[in-house]
Amino acid sequence: MAIDGRIAIVVYTLLLFATIGCEAIRCYQCSSDTDPKGEDLCGAYTKFDKERHTAVECSSEESHMPGTFCVKLTQQSPRGFIWNGRWRQVIRRCASVSNTGVTGVCNWGVYENGVYWQECSCSEDNCNGASTISPLATTIFVSLSVLLSIFFVR
C-alpha cells in the first residue's frame, strides 16, 4: 500500500473516532431575575430542583450562550441594601471564557456597590454528571493516533 493510502486510512480512522460519542457539554440555564413573582425556580433561596429543569447542550440553539463549561453566578446584596433586607440572584448558564482561565473552581469578590458575588465553573455535564469522553479515553486515543501516524508515515 502506498504512503498516500496509509495516510488516508489514518485520517479516516481519526475522523471516525473523533465524531463517535462527542457531544457538547450540557448545563442548566436559568436566572432568578426571570423567575415568576413569588417563585424561586433557579435556586436563589431554596435548593435547586434538578427535576424541574432540563440541562441544555451548550452548542445548541437552546443555549442562551454557547460554551465549553458551565457557570453558576450568585450575587447577594449587603444587609440594608433594599428596604426589606438582602436580595440574592442566581444565574446558571453555559460559558466559553473564564476570567481566571481555569474551570472547576469558585471565585468570589465584592463589587464597588457592596454586592457580594461568587462564580463557580465546572466542565462536566449537569455539574450543574459525567462527561461523554473521559480524560483517560482522550489521552489513550491521542497517544494511539500519534503512534499510528508515526508508524504509517515511515
Side-chain angles (χ1 to χ4, degrees), residues 27-94:
C27 302
Y28 293 105
Q29 67 179 10
C30 64
S31 179
S32 56
D33 66 345
T34 61
D35 287 347
K37 189 171 179 99
E39 293 190 46
D40 182 23
L41 301 177
C42 201
Y45 298 97
T46 59
K47 183 178 178 190
F48 181 66
D49 186 2
K50 293 181 181 179
E51 300 298 320
R52 291 185 73 179
H53 296 277
T54 302
V56 299
E57 192 170 294
C58 290
S59 64
S60 73
E61 291 182 17
E62 287 180 282
S63 176
H64 298 306
M65 176 180 288
T68 56
F69 60 93
C70 304
V71 169
K72 176 188 172 192
L73 174 64
T74 305
Q75 298 174 335
Q76 180 172 304
S77 70
R79 185 167 294 290
F81 190 77
I82 56 176
W83 66 271
N84 65 349
R86 296 181 178 185
W87 59 262
R88 184 180 296 163
Q89 177 181 10
V90 172
I91 300 170
R92 299 172 194 266
R93 61 179 171 82
C94 301

Side-chain angles (χ1 to χ4, degrees), residues 94-107:
C94 301
S96 57
V97 177
S98 171
N99 292 335
T100 61
V102 179
T103 61
V105 298
C106 292
N107 296 302

Side-chain angles (χ1 to χ4, degrees), residues 6-29:
R6 289 181 183 169
I7 292 174
I9 290 173
V10 169
V11 169
Y12 175 74
T13 305
L14 290 175
L15 288 173
L16 179 67
F17 281 116
T19 57
I20 294 175
C22 294
E23 296 176 3
I25 189 168
R26 299 179 62 83
C27 302
Y28 293 105
Q29 67 179 10

Side-chain angles (χ1 to χ4, degrees), residues 131-145:
S131 61
T132 56
I133 297 181
S134 71
L136 178 61
T138 304
T139 303
I140 291 171
F141 170 71
V142 170
S143 300
L144 285 174
S145 300

Side-chain angles (χ1 to χ4, degrees), residues 1-8 10 145-154:
M1 184 182 297
I3 292 178
D4 290 339
R6 289 181 183 169
I7 292 174
V10 169
S145 300
V146 169
L147 288 173
L148 286 172
S149 298
I150 291 170
F151 176 74
F152 283 120
V153 170
R154 286 184 178 183

